[in-house]
Amino acid sequence: MSLHTTISDVTDRILERSDARRSKYISHMRAAAAEGPRRAHLTCGNQAHAYAAMGEDQQTLAETPAPNLGIVTAYNDMLSAHQPFESYPAILKEAAKAAGGTAQVAGGVPAMCDGVTQGQTGMELSLFSRDVIALAAGIGLSHNTFDAAAYLGVCDKIVPGLIIAAATFGYIPGIFVPAGPMQSGLPNDEKARVRNEFAEGKVDRAALMKAEMASYHSAGTCTFYGTANSNQMLMEFMGLHLPGSSFVNPGTELRDALTREAATRALAITALGNDYRPVCDILDAKAFVNGIVGLMATGGSTNLVLHLPAMARAAGVDLRLEDFDAISSVVPLMAKVYPNGLADVNHFHAAGGLPYMIGRLLDAGLLHEDVKTVAGDSLGLHAQEPALDGGALIFRDGAKDSANDKILRPAHDPFQASGGLKQLKGNLGHGMMKVSAVDPARHVIEAPARVFESQDAVKDAFKAGEFTSDLVIVVRFQGPKANGMPELHGLTPALSVTQQRGINVALVTDGRMSGASGKVPSCIHVSPEAAAGGPLSRIQDGDIIRVDATNGTLECLTEGALDRAPATPDLSHNGNGVGRELFDVFRQTVGTADTGAGVVV
């Protein structure tokens, strides 16, 4: 089928506005590629240092043109999703050697767990960690000894940070290697029920802890469809994963076979061979449009609305919020995965998963097929799924039909006719709402404001029984300049319970709510932020706010409210404790949320 006109038009607009930036970027990448193999530019002393610990591979590295794979790893034991990466370097090195090449760990990057830091001071470093990850990966690759790179990362800020680095080193090929989700544990709806009951004081902390441990119980990605799993979807839609590899569980033979194949494929697409596929050629405007399509069709994380513009800037592509909104208007919601539904990502994968979705979206003309990927010259290759045949890895056609239409539906019979995100604009600025989980009856909320400057203050008001009538909760001074833009996921139980009590409630904030933002209408990432003098800084309790996801508007209806002087709270306490001192320069120089809240891009 021919490409949908809206997808084509949005792509053309992105290409036009990106022309100068992209041309400059590609010029730099072509110049770097023209210098030839990386190791050829090192002196004998440089090379001796680089190969000193490589044992029997020293001679191969020093005396042959065999390709060398640089491994950038986010392994640590703190993240269940990243713990499986402990064994990956050995697997990748063995596979590289079998393919006639070599592999070295170029460096490690930090990877914090937002699940551990939710509601804690450390969450204020979370978004900035993306830029630190990009910098750390850049340092590892700066040794200039690598012909390709394998990026080991899964979770929230890790994949976007690695993409920024991969784009910066875009003259070498790169492949992203996932670890896969943990096996299904306590159902997500049951976990949410216990959380809400704890918020209401109906169960004790022991019951809450039991439910949480039964949900997050083993190595692998958390099984709800938050930012981590949205990242994995994104890498597949953008052509940087091997086909169908995102949601294969860790510790399985198929997972190990895919890891070995990642090394083999990465070495096959270097400039030393006949199928050179540098990252700069994969990360083009069409790839980013395909990624946004995948985000909308799956009802993915709102965090990617922050990350994708920053990732794109690193590749010379200029994405804007209107691109997300326009694509969302024509891309159907084909998946229902928690918090948008009851299923987890394992159920989604079993129902047909990403190969099914890519195939059906291509059939509907909603994806660019003519793109380069790590697998070849067509996104159609990513409608395949991996399997083992007598122990050998093969790729076969993915499912043509959904195995469970309560989880996964075709594009012509979706759960919703439009995608999961909506841009809201008005006199309060502009932000985004994840509408895929919100009942359409709640898409318009008009009510008096209650203004808070921390999520703890909201929770205290809830516990005090103050939310007894319709209201719009405004949580401000939570943007990147104010305190690093922490996720406010801790608000979800209080907001959910308030809504369940029959009260119309909406959230408006210049902060984030993560990929698990729930069923309460939440206009997030509002820009300009309050700390930069944005309109939210002028709102007071009782002002009438209209949050309208139907018409895409965010308005204060109280006459004269926005003529007030902005509130100027003392934010100095945001600059110390748990490492916040180290990030003062980030808070001072960070970009706006609508451009990706970037520091290094």
Side-chain angles (χ1 to χ4, degrees):
M1 181 178 289
S2 60
L3 190 66
H4 192 289
T5 54
T6 297
I7 302 299
S8 177
D9 290 345
V10 169
T11 306
D12 288 343
R13 288 197 297 270
I14 294 170
L15 287 168
E16 182 177 0
R17 83 168 77 103
S18 304
D19 183 59
R21 179 188 293 270
R22 178 70 178 177
S23 296
K24 182 177 181 181
Y25 168 77
I26 289 295
S27 176
H28 289 161
M29 295 301 107
R30 297 290 184 249
E35 295 177 0
R38 302 293 99 198
R39 298 197 306 282
H41 302 284
L42 301 182
T43 69
C44 293
N46 296 152
Q47 293 190 60
H49 280 283
Y51 314 149
M54 290 299 290
E56 61 185 27
D57 287 333
Q58 281 183 314
Q59 295 303 112
T60 303
L61 285 161
E63 298 177 3
T64 75
N68 187 32
L69 177 67
I71 303 167
V72 179
T73 177
Y75 161 72
N76 66 43
D77 287 331
M78 180 60 69
L79 280 75
S80 62
H82 291 70
Q83 189 278 335
F85 287 143
E86 180 179 17
S87 63
Y88 276 36
I91 295 172
L92 293 166
K93 289 177 183 180
E94 180 183 1
K97 189 170 185 176
T102 54
Q104 297 174 283
V105 174
V109 302
M112 65 184 295
C113 180
D114 289 358
V116 176
T117 58
Q118 285 286 356
Q120 307 299 318
T121 302
M123 175 54 79
E124 296 183 16
L125 308 185
S126 173
L127 180 58
F128 290 149
S129 75
R130 180 191 68 194
D131 296 73
V132 175
I133 288 160
L135 292 168
I139 289 170
L141 294 173
S142 71
H143 292 98
N144 214 28
T145 63
F146 309 110
D147 302 294
Y151 298 95
L152 314 186
V154 175
C155 290
D156 296 22
K157 267 47 89 220
I158 296 94
V159 166
L162 292 174
I163 283 285
I164 292 170
T168 304
F169 288 80
Y171 47 87
I172 63 172
I175 192 165
F176 279 65
V177 189
M182 65 179 68
Q183 300 284 346
S184 300
L186 183 74
N188 286 299
D189 58 329
E190 176 66 11
K191 175 187 66 180
R193 182 188 65 79
V194 176
R195 284 179 174 178
N196 288 348
E197 289 187 350
F198 178 77
E200 294 180 89
K202 293 181 178 179
V203 300
D204 61 13
R205 186 169 295 277
L208 176 65
M209 189 65 182
K210 181 179 179 181
E212 297 288 346
M213 293 293 285
S215 179
Y216 308 116
H217 61 93
S218 67
T221 314
C222 306
T223 58
F224 68 87
Y225 195 54
T227 311
N229 286 317
S230 296
N231 283 339
Q232 302 314 292
M233 171 280 301
L234 192 68
M235 292 301 92
E236 199 131 343
F237 269 78
M238 293 179 68
L240 288 166
H241 272 179
L242 291 175
S245 63
S246 294
F247 300 132
V248 176
N249 301 118
T252 62
E253 291 185 19
L254 181 56
R255 178 83 277 158
D256 288 346
L258 285 163
T259 302
R260 289 191 293 271
E261 179 61 21
T264 303
R265 185 60 185 159
L267 295 185
I269 58 176
T270 72
L272 299 172
N274 298 318
D275 192 18
Y276 179 44
R277 294 178 180 275
V279 167
C280 64
D281 287 349
I282 293 175
L283 288 181
D284 63 4
K286 291 180 178 179
F288 283 102
V289 168
N290 284 347
I292 297 173
V293 170
L295 179 65
M296 301 307 168
T298 59
S301 170
T302 55
N303 277 327
L304 291 185
V305 182
L306 278 173
H307 297 319
L308 274 162
M311 294 155 62
R313 284 172 68 86
V317 176
D318 185 354
L319 292 184
R320 299 185 183 175
L321 292 185
E322 53 261 38
D323 302 324
F324 291 84
D325 193 72
I327 292 171
S328 181
S329 70
V330 298
V331 173
L333 180 65
M334 297 168 60
K336 281 281 190 181
V337 189
Y338 188 85
N340 304 338
L342 297 181
D344 67 22
V345 293
N346 291 311
H347 305 139
F348 166 77
H349 185 65
L354 297 178
Y356 169 85
M357 291 196 76
I358 289 172
R360 302 297 72 74
L361 286 164
L362 284 169
D363 290 344
L366 291 167
L367 287 170
H368 291 283
E369 184 172 9
D370 57 333
V371 293
K372 285 185 177 293
T373 80
V374 295
D377 289 337
S378 168
L379 190 64
L381 295 168
H382 291 258
Q384 296 179 317
E385 62 182 14
L388 292 175
D389 182 5
L393 179 67
I394 61 170
F395 291 92
R396 63 193 182 193
D397 290 343
K400 298 293 191 296
D401 299 301
S402 170
N404 188 333
D405 64 7
K406 294 181 180 179
I407 301 172
L408 194 55
R409 290 185 182 173
H412 63 79
D413 183 27
F415 293 101
Q416 293 175 195
S418 59
L421 297 177
K422 183 77 175 181
Q423 180 181 211
L424 276 64
K425 298 177 66 175
N427 63 9
L428 288 177
H430 53 269
M432 297 293 294
M433 182 185 293
K434 183 175 180 178
V435 296
S436 53
V438 177
D439 188 323
R442 298 190 176 98
H443 281 189
V444 180
I445 303 290
E446 182 178 317
R450 279 293 309 272
V451 182
F452 301 90
E453 293 176 1
S454 74
Q455 64 176 329
D456 287 338
V458 178
K459 290 188 280 188
D460 289 343
F462 168 77
K463 291 175 183 177
E466 297 179 13
F467 301 159
T468 57
S469 59
D470 294 355
L471 75 165
V472 174
I473 294 174
V474 176
V475 187
R476 64 190 183 187
F477 296 101
Q478 301 298 310
K481 284 187 177 297
N483 62 355
M485 206 178 187
E487 288 181 357
L488 306 176
H489 187 38
L491 294 175
T492 301
L495 297 176
S496 298
V497 170
T498 300
Q499 183 172 270
Q500 289 167 10
R501 291 172 176 170
I503 297 170
N504 289 318
V505 59
L507 173 70
V508 175
T509 181
D510 49 11
R512 296 186 290 132
M513 275 291 286
S514 93
S517 51
K519 300 179 180 180
V520 175
S522 302
C523 184
I524 60 178
H525 309 172
V526 174
S527 184
E529 64 176 285
L536 290 187
S537 66
R538 294 169 167 81
I539 298 300
Q540 295 180 359
D541 286 352
D543 290 345
I544 303 302
I545 306 295
R546 183 177 177 86
V547 181
D548 187 342
T550 302
N551 295 303
T553 59
L554 175 65
E555 299 279 347
C556 175
L557 305 181
T558 299
E559 187 175 353
L562 300 182
D563 295 329
R564 302 180 187 124
T568 55
D570 180 8
L571 302 177
S572 61
H573 62 282
N574 293 339
N576 61 81
V578 197
R580 288 185 290 184
E581 299 90 340
L582 301 171
F583 288 84
D584 181 60
V585 67
F586 281 49
R587 290 187 293 272
Q588 291 182 33
T589 59
V590 66
T592 57
D594 57 317
T595 60
V599 177
V600 300
V601 289

